[in-house]
Amino acid sequence: MNSSAHRKELGQFLKARRAELSPRTVGLPETDRPRRVTGLRRDEVAVLASISTTYYTRLEQGRITPSAAVLSELVRVLHLSDAQRDQLFELAGKDVGEPRRRAPQKAHPRLQAVLNELSVAPGMILGRHLDILAWNPMAAALFGTDFAKIPKPQRNYVRRLFTDPAMRTLYADWEESARNTVAVLRQQAAACPDDRRLTALVGDLSVSDDQFRTWWGGRHVAPRAGGTKAFNHPVAGELTLGWDALTCVADPDQQLIVWAAEPDSRAYEGLRFLSSWAVTQQDGPASDTAA
C-alpha cells in the first residue's frame, strides 16, 4: 500500500495537471458560462476516465491508491508525456511495465476461406480494437466503402462508425448500434488497459465526437452477439438483416461478422440486387494485405 505522503503527492500531481488543461484540449465543448476553476473540473476528468467523481475526488485528496488500469486512463485523459506517466505510476507505487507488443493481425485463413464463399451475404472479419481485417465485395457494397483505399491504421469499424457521415444515415438505428459498439470497445480496453494503440483510438474519438465521449464514460453493456439490423441503403433501399459473429478458435481476437436474410424475403431480394450492383464496383474479396 502506498504511504499517505505519496498518496497526497499523487493527488497534488493530478490537481496540477488538471489545472493545466482546458476543455478544448480534451475535446469538451466550451460555453459562455464563466468557469470557477482553472483548467478542468474534477467531474470532467472523472467522466473522461470512466470513473465516478467521488472516486476521483478521493484520489486528489490522497485518500486512496488507484489501480494500474485507472492510472492508464488518467494518462490518456490528462495527456501525460512519457516522463509524466512514469512519475504518476511511481507516486502510486505501481510498475509502469512495458506495454505488451503484439504482432499486427491478419485475417485467419480459415475465416478468410469462409468469407470468400459468401456471395450474397455481406461479411467482414474484425480483429482487435474492431480493426477491419478483411471484407467481401458485398460488405463493401453494403457500407458503400472501398476499404482497400483506407490506410490500414484508419481501417477500423468503430472509427468509421463515428467519422463517416454516411454511416449515420445507413444505420436506421445508428445510436443504438454505435453505443453497443462503444461498449464492446470498452470491454476490450478493460482487458488490455496498457494497449497504447487502443488508448490512442479512444483518445482520438473522445476528442472528435461528443457522443462517443459520453458513451465511453457510461456503463452501458452491449447485448450478446447476434440479432437484426435495419439499413437504409441508397441503392438497395430498406434492408432488415440478421447478423451473427463467428469467433476464430485459433485466434479468439478476431471474428467473422455476417449479415444475411431469409431466402425469398424482401431483404434477400435486396441483397441479390446489391450483389449484382457490387460486381460492377469491386473485383473480389479483400483483406489487410490490400494497400
Side-chain angles (χ1 to χ4, degrees):
M1 175 66 70
N2 203 29
S3 70
S4 176
H6 279 149
R7 288 199 300 270
K8 289 182 178 180
E9 192 173 350
L10 172 66
Q12 290 300 314
F13 177 90
L14 293 173
K15 185 177 181 180
R17 182 55 182 159
R18 173 167 63 85
E20 295 172 352
L21 297 175
S22 68
R24 182 186 297 274
T25 302
V26 297
L28 292 174
E30 295 188 357
T31 65
D32 295 331
R33 297 174 57 187
R35 297 176 65 85
R36 297 182 180 180
V37 298
T38 301
L40 299 178
R41 299 193 304 266
R42 285 175 173 171
D43 64 298
E44 291 171 333
V45 175
V47 168
L48 292 173
S50 300
I51 57 179
S52 71
T53 302
T54 300
Y55 183 91
Y56 181 76
T57 299
R58 294 174 68 191
L59 279 180
E60 283 201 358
Q61 293 173 343
R63 297 169 56 190
I64 58 175
T65 301
S67 66
V70 170
L71 290 173
S72 295
E73 281 293 291
L74 291 174
V75 168
R76 175 184 63 81
V77 170
L78 298 176
H79 293 216
L80 300 186
S81 65
D82 288 347
Q84 289 173 323
R85 178 201 63 202
D86 293 346
Q87 183 180 359
L88 180 69
F89 274 76
E90 182 178 352
L91 290 173
K94 304 292 184 182
D95 183 12
V96 175
E98 287 296 325
R100 184 174 57 172
R101 296 182 182 275
R102 294 187 286 186
Q105 271 185 307
K106 293 184 178 181
H108 193 278
R110 287 200 289 271
L111 285 190
Q112 183 74 62
V114 176
L115 177 63
N116 292 347
E117 292 299 318
L118 300 177
S119 58
V120 177
M124 182 183 294
I125 299 176
L126 299 182
R128 291 189 296 266
H129 321 132
L130 301 183
D131 287 338
I132 301 172
L133 303 182
W135 59 94
N136 65 359
M138 282 296 293
L142 177 64
F143 291 102
T145 302
D146 185 352
F147 296 106
K149 293 183 178 180
I150 302 174
K152 289 182 184 179
Q154 306 298 315
R155 203 181 293 160
N156 177 275
Y157 180 76
V158 65
R159 187 183 292 277
R160 301 296 303 170
L161 200 58
F162 281 90
T163 62
D164 184 357
M167 296 286 273
R168 296 176 183 259
T169 56
L170 175 64
Y171 275 96
D173 57 349
W174 180 87
E175 287 201 5
E176 179 185 353
S177 298
R179 193 179 182 194
N180 288 339
T181 302
V182 171
V184 171
L185 194 66
R186 192 169 57 240
Q187 290 173 353
Q188 293 193 11
C192 304
D194 297 325
D195 191 319
R196 291 188 178 181
R197 186 162 175 272
L198 181 55
T199 298
L201 172 64
V202 172
D204 289 347
L205 294 177
S206 295
V207 168
S208 62
D209 193 278
D210 293 341
Q211 286 174 297
F212 180 91
R213 182 171 58 250
T214 299
W215 292 333
W216 184 260
R219 290 292 181 268
H220 178 67
V221 177
R224 299 182 64 180
T228 59
K229 286 294 175 186
F231 298 92
N232 296 316
H233 196 276
V235 173
E238 295 181 5
L239 295 172
T240 299
L241 304 177
W243 72 276
D244 214 324
L246 174 64
T247 300
C248 180
V249 175
D251 183 0
D253 283 341
Q254 58 179 281
Q255 292 183 318
L256 170 60
I257 312 298
V258 179
W259 294 265
E262 292 290 334
D264 299 325
S265 66
R266 179 179 177 181
Y268 184 78
E269 293 303 316
L271 286 181
R272 289 187 61 186
F273 174 78
L274 191 61
S275 177
S276 299
W277 179 80
V279 171
T280 67
Q281 305 300 309
Q282 294 190 13
D283 295 330
S287 68
D288 58 359
T289 58

